[in-house]
Amino acid sequence: RSHCTRGGGRRQKQRCEGEAKSSVSVPRGTCMTMCPAYELRQRELQNRLHRFEVLTGTEHDRLPRADVSRTVKEYSRPAAGKDSTRATDLRPPDILLKTVYYLVDDIAASSTLHPWTEVYSFVFDRLRSVRQDMIIQRISGPECVAVLERTVRFLLFASYRLCGQPLRLFDSCINDTHLQECLSWLLECYREGQHQHQEEFQALSLLYNLGSAQAVQHVLELPGSVRLSPPVRLALAIGRAYVERNPVRLLRLARRLDFLQGCALHRHLLPCRRDLLLLYSHGHSSRNCRFPIQKLADILSLESSLTAQLCRAHGIHVGGEWVIFSKGSFTESLSEELQCAQMHRLLEDKQQDLTVSDIIHGVA
């Protein structure tokens, strides 16, 4: 089964299917560097090198030179008349994996490259180029899985780290689209054999797509060794709490997640906390009822000050150390000043001393 159907969207799928019909043999890359020599020369001449790729000492030249050890092939959109199957422009699997390791360890995890929005943009584009080379060559097997696993981890981590950034710096919808495509491709790869990290990514898929009947059905059809593994069972339990509208149980279970699992879940936390406040506004609605704000903060996994801010945003009265719930005053609309990024304590506690390399390589 061709992997042209994964990771590239509808147009790329159609293009790959056309190539499959018109080509007798699948191209095999011969480029042994992270960027083909022809592209490197062209980008030097056109002054299209990224600052992460420029040779030290030539930054202020009219045409900066490329550092061959740091220049990485760009993603290139398919164009009429352009041959994307030249062997000299395609990197074989071992070079693609080497490129991914470079992007993770030397760029994404760098302590000197700033801002991280630019780091993300560079790594995102170059990882997309890696997947493009894999699709054209129909690469499968361990190298393909290793690339996709690191790509998924990178995109999940970025969805958390860049949460709340302006649209011009980080488009969460585009990130989500690529993450879903990579997850779909990866889970398809897992159908073809056993892989070391399968349980981890089956659980991540469930947590990221919380409430998806399709994601749950996929897991229920897996072999028992995967379906009954601790990460998948925990993800299924969290999914059940979500479907049953039980935010208290969901947040309690979320404390057992590791950091990357928390990144997968984090986009659902703000709506979950809203549901909890709605539930409490009905269950504890009384003039004489006072709920301790610190206890509510512990349930929500937030600091007291943020708990008070969240309550007020939903029309719930906060007086000193107490919260006064009233079903009549609860409002669904959130203040524009209240952002998901402010509510990340649950994940910050989990990250602790983990490096970006640890997170993306799955060392944690």
Side-chain angles (χ1 to χ4, degrees):
R1 184 170 181 172
S2 170
H3 292 300
C4 286
T5 60
R6 297 290 172 183
R10 186 177 300 171
R11 293 182 182 178
Q12 197 162 357
K13 174 182 175 182
Q14 292 171 346
R15 187 181 74 258
C16 288
E17 288 175 345
E19 289 174 356
K21 293 176 182 178
S22 62
S23 301
V24 175
S25 61
V26 177
R28 290 287 178 257
T30 60
C31 175
M32 303 308 291
T33 56
M34 294 191 295
C35 183
Y38 176 77
E39 178 185 316
L40 188 146
R41 290 194 300 270
Q42 288 296 108
R43 287 171 57 199
E44 276 186 332
L45 292 172
Q46 297 168 5
N47 198 16
R48 291 195 298 110
L49 293 172
H50 192 280
R51 70 182 182 93
F52 297 164
E53 303 171 319
V54 172
L55 184 67
T56 303
T58 69
E59 297 92 342
H60 303 295
D61 292 358
R62 186 177 67 85
L63 290 177
R65 292 171 55 197
D67 185 336
V68 178
S69 67
R70 298 168 60 214
T71 307
V72 186
K73 182 180 180 181
E74 284 184 321
Y75 171 75
S76 176
R77 293 186 179 279
K82 180 180 178 181
D83 184 9
S84 61
T85 64
R86 287 184 303 189
T88 54
D89 290 341
L90 295 171
R91 297 158 291 180
D94 58 327
I95 301 301
L96 290 174
L97 191 55
K98 173 188 171 183
T99 301
V100 172
Y101 270 83
Y102 168 76
L103 292 170
V104 172
D105 296 330
D106 293 80
I107 305 296
S110 171
S111 60
T112 59
L113 299 179
H114 303 287
W116 210 79
T117 48
E118 185 178 3
V119 169
Y120 163 82
S121 180
F122 179 84
V123 175
F124 177 90
D125 176 85
R126 296 330 191 244
L127 286 177
R128 192 177 184 188
S129 171
V130 167
R131 299 199 302 279
Q132 187 177 46
D133 276 17
M134 290 202 307
I135 289 169
I136 293 171
Q137 299 175 84
R138 302 184 202 173
I139 293 172
S140 59
E143 293 92 350
C144 178
V145 168
V147 167
L148 291 173
E149 287 178 344
R150 284 159 178 80
T151 302
V152 168
R153 291 194 191 105
F154 169 75
L155 295 173
L156 278 176
F157 175 64
S159 71
Y160 157 70
R161 178 161 179 170
L162 299 180
C163 177
Q165 289 288 331
L167 185 62
R168 60 186 173 81
L169 298 177
F170 175 68
D171 190 324
S172 60
C173 292
I174 291 178
N175 191 79
D176 170 69
T177 298
H178 285 261
L179 177 50
Q180 296 284 20
E181 288 177 352
C182 289
L183 261 176
S184 177
W185 186 358
L186 179 59
L187 297 187
E188 186 66 30
C189 288
Y190 286 153
R191 290 181 183 273
E192 299 173 5
Q194 290 296 315
H195 295 274
Q196 180 182 357
H197 303 293
Q198 182 173 356
E199 293 87 355
E200 172 192 349
F201 285 90
Q202 298 289 358
L204 289 174
S205 177
L206 282 170
L207 293 168
Y208 190 74
N209 296 294
L210 210 60
S212 167
Q214 184 179 359
V216 173
Q217 184 62 36
H218 170 80
V219 167
L220 293 179
E221 294 172 356
L222 294 173
S225 59
V226 177
R227 187 179 68 253
L228 300 176
S229 64
V232 174
R233 291 177 63 185
L234 177 57
L236 284 170
I238 290 174
R240 191 178 306 113
Y242 179 85
V243 171
E244 294 173 354
R245 299 291 294 271
N246 188 342
V248 177
R249 176 170 170 75
L250 191 155
L251 288 169
R252 187 184 301 122
L253 290 170
R255 297 191 186 100
R256 293 165 50 188
L257 298 174
D258 65 27
F259 174 69
L260 194 65
Q261 291 171 334
C263 289
L265 179 69
H266 109 271
R267 65 178 183 155
H268 303 287
L269 290 177
L270 201 57
C272 175
R273 287 167 172 144
R274 177 201 61 211
D275 289 347
L276 188 146
L277 292 179
L278 175 61
L279 183 69
Y280 276 33
S281 291
H282 283 75
H284 298 280
S285 181
S286 171
R287 292 181 182 179
N288 300 319
C289 180
R290 302 288 186 271
F291 199 96
I293 193 168
Q294 186 56 56
K295 182 177 180 180
L296 184 62
D298 292 340
I299 295 171
L300 292 169
S301 296
L302 290 174
E303 296 176 356
S304 296
S305 59
L306 285 176
T307 299
Q309 186 179 353
L310 184 63
C311 286
R312 293 189 182 103
H314 284 293
I316 299 168
H317 179 72
V318 178
E321 300 298 316
W322 305 93
V323 177
I324 303 172
F325 289 107
S326 171
K327 60 183 179 182
S329 64
F330 184 87
T331 174
E332 289 282 352
S333 60
L334 278 172
S335 166
E336 292 182 0
E337 298 177 359
L338 192 63
Q339 298 180 356
C340 177
Q342 296 174 269
M343 306 287 172
H344 284 174
R345 178 189 139 190
L346 185 63
L347 273 75
E348 290 167 355
D349 291 345
K350 295 176 184 294
Q351 186 171 3
Q352 297 180 347
D353 298 326
L354 292 175
T355 67
V356 175
S357 287
D358 291 339
I359 294 164
I360 299 177
H361 288 309
V363 175

